[in-house]
Coordinates of all heavy atoms in Angstrom, one line a residue:
M1 N 16.4 -10.3 4.8 CA 16.6 -9.1 3.9 C 16.2 -9.4 2.5 O 15.7 -8.5 1.8 CB 18.1 -8.7 3.9 CG 18.4 -7.8 5.1 SD 17.5 -6.3 5.1 CE 18.6 -5.4 6.1
A2 N 16.4 -10.6 2.0 CA 16.0 -10.9 0.6 C 14.5 -10.7 0.3 O 14.2 -10.5 -0.8 CB 16.4 -12.3 0.3
Y3 N 13.7 -10.8 1.4 CA 12.3 -10.6 1.2 C 11.9 -9.3 0.6 O 11.0 -9.2 -0.2 CB 11.7 -10.8 2.6 CG 10.2 -10.7 2.6 CD1 9.4 -11.8 2.2 CD2 9.5 -9.6 3.0 CE1 8.0 -11.7 2.1 CE2 8.1 -9.5 3.0 CZ 7.4 -10.6 2.6 OH 6.0 -10.5 2.6
F4 N 12.7 -8.2 0.9 CA 12.4 -6.9 0.5 C 13.4 -6.4 -0.6 O 13.4 -5.2 -0.9 CB 12.3 -5.9 1.6 CG 11.2 -6.1 2.6 CD1 11.4 -6.5 3.9 CD2 9.9 -5.9 2.1 CE1 10.4 -6.7 4.7 CE2 8.8 -6.1 3.0 CZ 9.1 -6.5 4.3
S5 N 14.2 -7.3 -1.1 CA 15.3 -6.8 -2.0 C 14.7 -6.1 -3.3 O 15.3 -5.2 -3.8 CB 16.2 -8.0 -2.4 OG 15.4 -9.0 -3.0
A6 N 13.6 -6.6 -3.8 CA 13.0 -6.0 -5.0 C 12.6 -4.5 -4.7 O 12.8 -3.6 -5.5 CB 11.8 -6.8 -5.5
I7 N 12.0 -4.3 -3.5 CA 11.6 -2.9 -3.2 C 12.8 -2.0 -3.0 O 12.8 -0.8 -3.4 CB 10.5 -2.8 -2.1 CG1 9.8 -1.5 -2.0 CG2 11.2 -3.1 -0.7 CD1 8.8 -1.3 -3.1
Y8 N 13.8 -2.5 -2.3 CA 15.0 -1.7 -2.1 C 15.7 -1.4 -3.4 O 16.2 -0.3 -3.5 CB 16.0 -2.5 -1.2 CG 15.5 -2.8 0.2 CD1 15.8 -3.9 0.9 CD2 14.7 -1.8 0.9 CE1 15.4 -4.2 2.2 CE2 14.3 -2.1 2.2 CZ 14.6 -3.2 2.8 OH 14.2 -3.5 4.1
A9 N 15.7 -2.3 -4.3 CA 16.4 -2.0 -5.6 C 15.6 -1.2 -6.6 O 16.1 -0.7 -7.6 CB 16.8 -3.4 -6.2
A10 N 14.3 -1.1 -6.4 CA 13.4 -0.4 -7.3 C 13.7 1.1 -7.4 O 14.1 1.7 -6.4 CB 11.9 -0.6 -6.9
N11 N 13.4 1.6 -8.5 CA 13.6 3.0 -8.8 C 12.3 3.8 -8.3 O 11.5 4.1 -9.1 CB 13.9 3.3 -10.3 CG 14.2 4.8 -10.5 OD1 14.6 5.5 -9.6 ND2 14.0 5.2 -11.8
L12 N 12.2 3.9 -7.0 CA 11.0 4.5 -6.4 C 11.5 5.5 -5.4 O 12.5 5.4 -4.8 CB 10.2 3.4 -5.6 CG 9.4 2.5 -6.4 CD1 9.0 1.3 -5.5 CD2 8.2 3.1 -7.0
P13 N 10.7 6.6 -5.2 CA 11.0 7.5 -4.1 C 10.9 6.9 -2.7 O 10.2 5.9 -2.6 CB 9.9 8.6 -4.3 CG 9.1 8.3 -5.4 CD 9.4 6.9 -5.9
G14 N 11.6 7.5 -1.8 CA 11.6 7.0 -0.4 C 10.2 6.8 0.2 O 9.9 5.9 0.9
R15 N 9.3 7.8 -0.2 CA 7.9 7.7 0.4 C 7.3 6.4 0.0 O 6.5 5.8 0.7 CB 7.1 8.9 -0.1 CG 6.9 8.9 -1.6 CD 6.0 10.1 -2.1 NE 5.8 10.0 -3.5 CZ 6.3 10.8 -4.4 NH1 7.0 11.9 -4.0 NH2 6.1 10.7 -5.7
A16 N 7.5 6.0 -1.3 CA 6.8 4.8 -1.8 C 7.4 3.5 -1.1 O 6.6 2.7 -0.7 CB 7.0 4.7 -3.3
K17 N 8.7 3.5 -0.9 CA 9.3 2.4 -0.2 C 8.8 2.3 1.3 O 8.5 1.2 1.8 CB 10.8 2.5 -0.2 CG 11.3 2.3 -1.6 CD 12.8 2.5 -1.7 CE 13.3 2.3 -3.1 NZ 14.8 2.4 -3.2
M18 N 8.7 3.5 1.9 CA 8.2 3.5 3.3 C 6.7 3.0 3.4 O 6.4 2.2 4.3 CB 8.3 5.0 3.8 CG 7.9 5.1 5.3 SD 8.2 6.7 6.0 CE 7.6 7.9 4.8
V19 N 5.9 3.5 2.5 CA 4.5 3.0 2.5 C 4.4 1.5 2.2 O 3.6 0.8 2.8 CB 3.6 3.9 1.5 CG1 2.2 3.3 1.3 CG2 3.5 5.3 2.0
Y20 N 5.2 1.1 1.2 CA 5.2 -0.4 0.9 C 5.5 -1.2 2.1 O 4.9 -2.2 2.4 CB 6.2 -0.7 -0.2 CG 6.3 -2.1 -0.5 CD1 5.4 -2.7 -1.5 CD2 7.2 -3.0 0.1 CE1 5.5 -4.0 -1.8 CE2 7.3 -4.3 -0.2 CZ 6.4 -4.9 -1.1 OH 6.4 -6.2 -1.4
L21 N 6.6 -0.8 2.8 CA 7.0 -1.6 4.0 C 5.9 -1.5 5.1 O 5.7 -2.5 5.8 CB 8.3 -1.0 4.6 CG 9.5 -1.2 3.7 CD1 10.7 -0.5 4.2 CD2 9.8 -2.7 3.5
Y22 N 5.3 -0.4 5.2 CA 4.1 -0.2 6.2 C 3.0 -1.2 5.8 O 2.5 -1.9 6.7 CB 3.6 1.2 6.2 CG 2.4 1.5 7.1 CD1 2.6 1.9 8.4 CD2 1.1 1.3 6.6 CE1 1.5 2.1 9.2 CE2 0.1 1.5 7.4 CZ 0.3 1.9 8.7 OH -0.8 2.1 9.6
L23 N 2.6 -1.2 4.5 CA 1.5 -2.1 4.1 C 1.9 -3.6 4.2 O 1.1 -4.4 4.6 CB 1.1 -1.7 2.7 CG 0.5 -0.4 2.5 CD1 0.2 -0.1 1.0 CD2 -0.8 -0.3 3.3
A24 N 3.1 -3.9 3.9 CA 3.6 -5.3 3.9 C 3.6 -5.8 5.4 O 3.3 -6.9 5.7 CB 5.0 -5.4 3.3
D25 N 3.9 -4.9 6.3 CA 3.9 -5.2 7.7 C 2.5 -5.5 8.3 O 2.4 -6.3 9.2 CB 4.6 -4.1 8.5 CG 4.7 -4.4 10.0 OD1 5.3 -5.5 10.3 OD2 4.2 -3.6 10.8
R26 N 1.5 -4.9 7.7 CA 0.2 -5.1 8.1 C -0.6 -6.1 7.3 O -1.8 -6.4 7.7 CB -0.5 -3.7 8.1 CG -0.1 -2.9 9.4 CD -0.1 -1.4 9.1 NE 0.4 -0.8 10.4 CZ 1.6 -0.7 10.7 NH1 2.6 -1.2 10.0 NH2 2.0 0.0 11.9
A27 N -0.1 -6.5 6.2 CA -0.8 -7.5 5.4 C -0.9 -8.9 5.9 O 0.0 -9.3 6.7 CB -0.1 -7.5 4.0
E28 N -2.0 -9.5 5.6 CA -2.2 -10.9 6.0 C -1.2 -11.8 5.1 O -0.6 -11.2 4.2 CB -3.6 -11.3 5.7 CG -4.6 -10.5 6.6 CD -6.1 -10.7 6.1 OE1 -6.3 -11.4 5.1 OE2 -6.9 -10.3 6.9
K29 N -1.2 -13.0 5.4 CA -0.3 -13.9 4.7 C -0.5 -13.9 3.1 O 0.4 -14.1 2.4 CB -0.3 -15.3 5.2 CG -1.6 -16.1 5.0 CD -1.6 -17.5 5.5 CE -2.9 -18.1 5.3 NZ -3.0 -19.5 5.6
D30 N -1.7 -13.6 2.7 CA -2.0 -13.5 1.3 C -1.8 -12.2 0.7 O -2.0 -11.9 -0.5 CB -3.5 -14.0 1.0 CG -4.5 -13.2 1.8 OD1 -4.1 -12.3 2.5 OD2 -5.7 -13.5 1.7
G31 N -1.3 -11.2 1.5 CA -0.9 -9.9 1.0 C -1.9 -8.8 1.1 O -1.7 -7.7 0.7
Y32 N -3.1 -9.1 1.7 CA -4.2 -8.1 1.7 C -4.2 -7.4 3.1 O -4.0 -7.9 4.1 CB -5.5 -8.8 1.5 CG -5.7 -9.3 0.1 CD1 -5.5 -10.6 -0.2 CD2 -6.2 -8.5 -0.9 CE1 -5.7 -11.1 -1.5 CE2 -6.3 -8.9 -2.2 CZ -6.1 -10.2 -2.5 OH -6.3 -10.7 -3.7
C33 N -4.5 -6.1 2.9 CA -4.7 -5.2 4.1 C -5.6 -4.1 3.7 O -5.8 -3.8 2.5 CB -3.4 -4.8 4.7 SG -2.4 -3.8 3.6
F34 N -6.1 -3.3 4.7 CA -7.0 -2.2 4.3 C -6.9 -1.1 5.3 O -8.0 -0.5 5.7 CB -8.5 -2.8 4.2 CG -8.9 -3.7 5.3 CD1 -9.5 -3.2 6.4 CD2 -8.7 -5.0 5.2 CE1 -9.9 -4.0 7.4 CE2 -9.1 -5.9 6.2 CZ -9.7 -5.4 7.3
P35 N -5.7 -0.6 5.6 CA -5.7 0.6 6.5 C -6.2 1.9 5.7 O -6.0 2.0 4.5 CB -4.2 0.7 6.8 CG -3.5 0.1 5.6 CD -4.4 -1.0 5.2
A36 N -6.8 2.8 6.4 CA -7.2 4.0 5.8 C -6.0 4.9 5.5 O -5.0 4.9 6.1 CB -8.2 4.7 6.8
I37 N -6.2 5.8 4.5 CA -5.1 6.7 4.1 C -4.7 7.6 5.3 O -3.6 7.8 5.6 CB -5.6 7.7 3.0 CG1 -5.9 6.9 1.7 CG2 -4.6 8.8 2.7 CD1 -4.8 6.4 0.9
N38 N -5.7 8.0 6.1 CA -5.4 8.8 7.3 C -4.6 8.1 8.3 O -3.7 8.6 9.0 CB -6.7 9.3 8.0 CG -7.4 10.4 7.2 OD1 -6.8 11.1 6.4 ND2 -8.7 10.6 7.4
T39 N -4.9 6.8 8.5 CA -4.1 5.9 9.4 C -2.7 5.8 8.9 O -1.8 5.9 9.7 CB -4.8 4.6 9.5 OG1 -6.1 4.7 10.0 CG2 -4.0 3.7 10.5
I40 N -2.5 5.5 7.7 CA -1.1 5.4 7.1 C -0.4 6.7 7.3 O 0.8 6.7 7.8 CB -1.1 5.0 5.6 CG1 -1.8 3.7 5.4 CG2 0.3 5.0 5.1 CD1 -2.2 3.4 4.0
A41 N -1.0 7.8 7.0 CA -0.4 9.1 7.1 C 0.0 9.4 8.6 O 1.1 9.9 8.9 CB -1.3 10.2 6.6
R42 N -0.9 9.2 9.5 CA -0.7 9.4 10.9 C 0.5 8.6 11.4 O 1.4 9.0 12.1 CB -1.9 9.2 11.7 CG -1.7 9.5 13.2 CD -2.9 9.1 14.0 NE -3.0 7.6 14.0 CZ -4.1 6.9 13.7 NH1 -5.2 7.5 13.3 NH2 -4.1 5.6 13.7
D43 N 0.4 7.3 11.1 CA 1.4 6.4 11.6 C 2.8 6.6 11.1 O 3.8 6.4 11.8 CB 1.0 4.9 11.3 CG -0.1 4.4 12.1 OD1 -0.5 5.1 13.1 OD2 -0.6 3.3 11.8
L44 N 2.9 7.1 9.8 CA 4.2 7.4 9.2 C 4.6 8.9 9.3 O 5.7 9.2 8.9 CB 4.2 7.0 7.7 CG 4.0 5.5 7.5 CD1 3.9 5.3 6.0 CD2 5.1 4.7 8.1
S45 N 3.8 9.7 9.9 CA 4.0 11.1 10.1 C 4.3 11.8 8.7 O 5.2 12.6 8.6 CB 5.2 11.4 11.0 OG 5.0 10.8 12.3
I46 N 3.4 11.5 7.8 CA 3.5 12.1 6.5 C 2.1 12.6 6.1 O 1.1 12.2 6.8 CB 4.1 11.2 5.4 CG1 3.3 9.9 5.2 CG2 5.6 10.9 5.7 CD1 3.8 9.0 4.2
S47 N 2.0 13.4 5.1 CA 0.6 13.9 4.7 C -0.2 12.9 3.9 O 0.4 11.9 3.3 CB 0.8 15.2 3.8 OG 1.3 14.8 2.6
R48 N -1.5 13.1 3.9 CA -2.4 12.3 3.1 C -2.0 12.3 1.6 O -2.0 11.2 1.0 CB -3.8 12.7 3.2 CG -4.5 12.5 4.5 CD -5.9 13.1 4.5 NE -6.7 12.9 3.3 CZ -7.4 11.9 3.0 NH1 -7.5 10.9 3.8 NH2 -8.1 11.9 1.8
S49 N -1.6 13.4 1.1 CA -1.3 13.5 -0.3 C 0.0 12.8 -0.6 O 0.2 12.2 -1.7 CB -1.2 15.0 -0.8 OG -0.3 15.7 0.0
T50 N 1.0 12.7 0.3 CA 2.2 12.0 0.2 C 1.9 10.5 0.1 O 2.4 9.7 -0.7 CB 3.2 12.3 1.3 OG1 3.5 13.7 1.2 CG2 4.5 11.5 1.2
V51 N 1.0 10.0 1.0 CA 0.5 8.6 1.0 C -0.1 8.3 -0.4 O 0.2 7.3 -1.0 CB -0.4 8.3 2.1 CG1 -1.0 6.9 2.0 CG2 0.2 8.5 3.5
K52 N -1.0 9.2 -0.9 CA -1.6 8.9 -2.2 C -0.6 8.8 -3.3 O -0.7 8.0 -4.2 CB -2.7 10.0 -2.4 CG -3.9 9.9 -1.5 CD -4.9 11.0 -1.8 CE -6.1 10.9 -0.9 NZ -7.0 12.0 -1.2
R53 N 0.4 9.7 -3.3 CA 1.4 9.7 -4.3 C 2.2 8.4 -4.2 O 2.5 7.8 -5.3 CB 2.3 10.9 -4.2 CG 1.7 12.2 -4.8 CD 2.7 13.3 -4.9 NE 3.4 13.6 -3.7 CZ 3.0 14.5 -2.8 NH1 1.9 15.1 -2.9 NH2 3.7 14.7 -1.7
A54 N 2.5 8.0 -3.0 CA 3.3 6.8 -2.8 C 2.5 5.6 -3.3 O 3.1 4.7 -4.0 CB 3.6 6.6 -1.4
I55 N 1.2 5.5 -3.0 CA 0.4 4.4 -3.5 C 0.3 4.4 -5.0 O 0.5 3.3 -5.6 CB -1.0 4.5 -2.9 CG1 -0.9 4.1 -1.4 CG2 -2.0 3.5 -3.6 CD1 -2.2 4.4 -0.6
H56 N 0.2 5.5 -5.6 CA 0.2 5.6 -7.1 C 1.5 5.1 -7.7 O 1.6 4.3 -8.6 CB 0.0 7.1 -7.5 CG 0.1 7.3 -9.0 ND1 -0.9 6.9 -9.9 CD2 1.0 7.8 -9.8 CE1 -0.6 7.1 -11.1 NE2 0.6 7.7 -11.1
D57 N 2.7 5.5 -7.1 CA 4.0 5.1 -7.5 C 4.1 3.5 -7.4 O 4.6 2.9 -8.4 CB 5.1 5.7 -6.6 CG 5.2 7.2 -6.8 OD1 4.8 7.7 -7.8 OD2 5.8 7.8 -5.8
L58 N 3.6 3.0 -6.3 CA 3.7 1.5 -6.1 C 2.8 0.8 -7.1 O 3.2 -0.3 -7.6 CB 3.3 1.2 -4.7 CG 4.3 1.6 -3.6 CD1 3.6 1.5 -2.2 CD2 5.6 0.8 -3.7
E59 N 1.6 1.3 -7.4 CA 0.8 0.7 -8.4 C 1.4 0.7 -9.8 O 1.4 -0.3 -10.5 CB -0.6 1.4 -8.5 CG -1.5 1.1 -7.4 CD -2.8 1.9 -7.6 OE1 -2.8 3.1 -7.5 OE2 -3.8 1.2 -7.8
Q60 N 2.0 1.8 -10.1 CA 2.6 2.0 -11.5 C 3.8 1.0 -11.7 O 4.0 0.5 -12.8 CB 3.1 3.4 -11.7 CG 2.1 4.4 -11.7 CD 1.1 4.2 -12.9 OE1 1.6 4.0 -14.0 NE2 -0.2 4.1 -12.7
Q61 N 4.5 0.7 -10.6 CA 5.6 -0.2 -10.7 C 5.2 -1.7 -10.4 O 6.1 -2.6 -10.5 CB 6.7 0.2 -9.6 CG 7.3 1.5 -9.9 CD 8.6 1.4 -10.7 OE1 9.2 0.4 -10.8 NE2 9.0 2.6 -11.3
G62 N 4.0 -1.9 -10.1 CA 3.5 -3.3 -9.9 C 3.7 -3.9 -8.6 O 3.6 -5.1 -8.4
F63 N 4.1 -3.1 -7.6 CA 4.3 -3.6 -6.2 C 3.0 -3.6 -5.4 O 3.0 -4.3 -4.3 CB 5.3 -2.7 -5.5 CG 6.7 -2.8 -5.9 CD1 7.3 -2.0 -6.8 CD2 7.5 -3.9 -5.4 CE1 8.6 -2.1 -7.3 CE2 8.8 -4.1 -5.8 CZ 9.3 -3.2 -6.7
L64 N 1.9 -3.0 -5.9 CA 0.7 -2.9 -5.1 C -0.5 -2.9 -6.0 O -0.4 -2.3 -7.1 CB 0.8 -1.6 -4.3 CG -0.3 -1.3 -3.3 CD1 -0.3 -2.3 -2.1 CD2 -0.2 0.1 -2.8
E65 N -1.6 -3.5 -5.6 CA -2.8 -3.4 -6.3 C -3.8 -2.9 -5.3 O -3.7 -3.2 -4.1 CB -3.3 -4.8 -6.7 CG -2.4 -5.5 -7.7 CD -2.8 -6.9 -8.0 OE1 -3.9 -7.3 -7.5 OE2 -2.0 -7.6 -8.6
K66 N -4.7 -2.0 -5.7 CA -5.8 -1.5 -4.8 C -7.1 -1.7 -5.4 O -7.3 -1.7 -6.7 CB -5.5 -0.1 -4.4 CG -5.9 0.9 -5.5 CD -5.7 2.4 -4.9 CE -6.1 3.3 -6.0 NZ -5.9 4.7 -5.7
E67 N -8.1 -1.8 -4.6 CA -9.5 -2.0 -5.0 C -10.4 -1.2 -4.1 O -10.3 -1.3 -2.8 CB -9.8 -3.5 -4.9 CG -11.3 -3.8 -5.3 CD -11.5 -5.3 -5.1 OE1 -10.6 -6.1 -5.3 OE2 -12.7 -5.6 -4.7
Q68 N -11.3 -0.4 -4.6 CA -12.2 0.3 -3.8 C -13.3 -0.6 -3.3 O -13.8 -1.5 -4.1 CB -12.9 1.4 -4.7 CG -13.9 2.2 -3.9 CD -13.3 3.1 -2.8 OE1 -12.4 3.9 -3.1 NE2 -13.7 2.8 -1.6
R69 N -13.5 -0.6 -2.0 CA -14.6 -1.4 -1.4 C -15.8 -0.5 -1.2 O -15.7 0.7 -1.0 CB -14.1 -2.1 -0.1 CG -12.9 -2.9 -0.4 CD -12.4 -3.8 0.7 NE -12.5 -3.1 2.0 CZ -12.5 -3.8 3.2 NH1 -12.5 -5.1 3.2 NH2 -12.5 -3.1 4.3
Y70 N -17.0 -1.1 -1.2 CA -18.2 -0.4 -1.0 C -19.1 -1.0 0.1 O -19.1 -2.2 0.3 CB -19.0 -0.4 -2.3 CG -18.3 0.3 -3.4 CD1 -17.5 -0.3 -4.3 CD2 -18.5 1.7 -3.6 CE1 -16.8 0.3 -5.3 CE2 -17.8 2.4 -4.6 CZ -17.0 1.7 -5.4 OH -16.3 2.4 -6.4
R71 N -19.8 -0.2 0.7 CA -20.8 -0.6 1.8 C -22.0 -1.1 1.1 O -22.3 -0.9 -0.1 CB -21.1 0.6 2.7 CG -20.0 1.1 3.5 CD -20.4 2.2 4.4 NE -19.3 2.6 5.2 CZ -18.4 3.6 4.9 NH1 -18.5 4.2 3.8 NH2 -17.4 3.9 5.7
K72 N -22.9 -1.8 1.9 CA -24.1 -2.4 1.3 C -25.0 -1.3 0.7 O -25.8 -1.5 -0.2 CB -24.9 -3.1 2.4 CG -24.2 -4.4 2.8 CD -24.9 -5.2 3.8 CE -24.2 -6.5 4.2 NZ -24.9 -7.2 5.2
N73 N -25.0 -0.1 1.3 CA -25.8 1.0 0.8 C -25.2 1.7 -0.4 O -25.8 2.7 -0.9 CB -26.1 2.0 1.9 CG -24.9 2.8 2.3 OD1 -23.8 2.6 1.8 ND2 -25.0 3.6 3.3
G74 N -24.0 1.2 -0.9 CA -23.4 1.8 -2.1 C -22.4 2.8 -1.8 O -21.7 3.3 -2.7
G75 N -22.2 3.3 -0.6 CA -21.2 4.2 -0.2 C -19.8 3.6 -0.2 O -19.6 2.4 0.0
K76 N -18.8 4.5 -0.4 CA -17.5 4.0 -0.4 C -17.0 3.6 0.9 O -17.4 4.2 1.9 CB -16.5 5.1 -1.0 CG -16.6 5.3 -2.5 CD -15.6 6.3 -2.9 CE -15.6 6.4 -4.4 NZ -14.6 7.4 -4.9
S77 N -16.2 2.6 1.0 CA -15.6 2.1 2.2 C -14.1 2.2 2.0 O -13.6 3.0 1.2 CB -16.0 0.6 2.5 OG -15.5 0.2 3.7
T78 N -13.3 1.5 2.8 CA -11.9 1.6 2.7 C -11.4 0.9 1.4 O -12.1 0.1 0.8 CB -11.2 0.9 3.9 OG1 -11.6 -0.5 3.9 CG2 -11.5 1.5 5.2
L79 N -10.1 1.3 1.1 CA -9.5 0.6 -0.1 C -8.9 -0.7 0.4 O -8.4 -0.8 1.6 CB -8.4 1.5 -0.6 CG -8.8 2.8 -1.3 CD1 -7.6 3.7 -1.5 CD2 -9.5 2.5 -2.6
L80 N -8.9 -1.7 -0.4 CA -8.3 -3.0 -0.1 C -7.0 -3.0 -0.9 O -7.0 -2.8 -2.1 CB -9.2 -4.1 -0.6 CG -8.7 -5.5 -0.4 CD1 -8.5 -5.8 1.1 CD2 -9.6 -6.6 -1.0
Y81 N -5.9 -3.2 -0.2 CA -4.6 -3.3 -0.9 C -4.1 -4.7 -0.9 O -4.3 -5.5 0.0 CB -3.6 -2.4 -0.1 CG -4.0 -1.0 0.1 CD1 -4.5 -0.6 1.3 CD2 -3.8 -0.1 -1.0 CE1 -4.8 0.8 1.5 CE2 -4.2 1.2 -0.8 CZ -4.7 1.6 0.4 OH -5.0 3.0 0.6
R82 N -3.5 -5.0 -2.0 CA -2.8 -6.3 -2.1 C -1.3 -6.0 -2.4 O -0.9 -5.5 -3.4 CB -3.3 -7.2 -3.3 CG -2.6 -8.5 -3.4 CD -3.2 -9.4 -4.4 NE -2.3 -10.6 -4.6 CZ -1.5 -10.8 -5.6 NH1 -1.5 -9.9 -6.6 NH2 -0.8 -11.8 -5.7
V83 N -0.5 -6.3 -1.4 CA 0.9 -6.1 -1.5 C 1.5 -7.3 -2.3 O 1.3 -8.4 -1.9 CB 1.6 -6.1 -0.1 CG1 3.1 -5.9 -0.2 CG2 1.0 -4.9 0.7
R84 N 2.2 -7.0 -3.4 CA 2.8 -8.0 -4.2 C 4.2 -8.2 -3.7 O 5.0 -7.2 -3.5 CB 2.9 -7.6 -5.7 CG 1.4 -7.5 -6.2 CD 1.3 -7.4 -7.7 NE 1.9 -8.6 -8.2 CZ 2.6 -8.6 -9.4 NH1 2.8 -7.5 -10.0 NH2 3.1 -9.7 -9.9
R85 N 4.6 -9.4 -3.3 CA 5.9 -9.7 -2.7 C 6.8 -10.4 -3.6 O 6.3 -11.1 -4.5 CB 5.7 -10.5 -1.4 CG 4.8 -9.7 -0.4 CD 4.5 -10.5 0.8 NE 3.9 -9.7 1.8 CZ 3.1 -10.1 2.7 NH1 2.7 -11.4 2.7 NH2 2.5 -9.3 3.6
G86 N 8.0 -10.4 -3.4 CA 9.0 -11.2 -4.2 C 9.5 -10.4 -5.4 O 9.4 -9.2 -5.5
K87 N 10.0 -11.2 -6.3 CA 10.6 -10.6 -7.6 C 9.5 -10.3 -8.6 O 8.5 -11.0 -8.7 CB 11.6 -11.6 -8.1 CG 12.7 -11.8 -7.2 CD 13.8 -12.6 -7.8 CE 14.9 -12.8 -6.8 NZ 16.1 -13.4 -7.4
F88 N 9.7 -9.2 -9.3 CA 8.7 -8.8 -10.3 C 9.3 -8.9 -11.7 O 10.1 -8.3 -12.1 CB 8.2 -7.4 -10.0 CG 7.7 -7.3 -8.6 CD1 8.4 -6.9 -7.5 CD2 6.4 -7.7 -8.3 CE1 7.9 -6.8 -6.2 CE2 5.9 -7.6 -7.1 CZ 6.6 -7.2 -6.0

């Protein structure tokens, strides 16, 4: 339980905590994962816009970093998320 104590104690909406736990569950040991917004929304049974708001909330509080990835031809690919774990 102590692993997630910072997110539980944070002043964040429930949507942000739910998305954080989802991303943390899918992250590699170094904290990186790259699920699509549609995948997150479908798996959590919430809308795409709710996922986007949650990600924004998490970034603002320092629980998550995101980076746009690009294909070789310059087109956008998936976002790369880094879940920050522990105390902040």
Side-chain angles (χ1 to χ4, degrees):
M1 276 300 198
Y3 183 76
F4 293 113
S5 59
I7 196 73
Y8 295 144
N11 185 22
L12 285 166
R15 68 177 179 245
K17 292 177 182 184
M18 182 171 50
V19 169
Y20 178 87
L21 295 172
Y22 178 90
L23 293 173
D25 183 53
R26 280 147 182 80
E28 299 171 348
K29 66 180 179 174
D30 55 2
Y32 290 98
C33 60
F34 46 91
I37 298 286
N38 285 339
T39 302
I40 299 168
R42 183 190 65 235
D43 289 351
L44 295 177
S45 300
I46 58 178
S47 70
R48 286 177 40 86
S49 55
T50 298
V51 172
K52 289 179 181 181
R53 284 192 302 273
I55 289 170
H56 176 76
D57 295 340
L58 291 166
E59 284 182 290
Q60 293 298 309
Q61 295 266 341
F63 286 97
L64 186 69
E65 297 171 10
K66 78 175 183 186
E67 177 184 327
Q68 181 66 59
R69 300 188 320 158
Y70 296 92
R71 294 183 176 91
K72 289 181 181 180
N73 67 4
K76 286 185 178 181
S77 182
T78 58
L79 293 169
L80 177 65
Y81 302 102
R82 180 175 171 255
V83 177
R84 297 196 57 217
R85 298 175 173 152
K87 296 185 180 188
F88 302 96

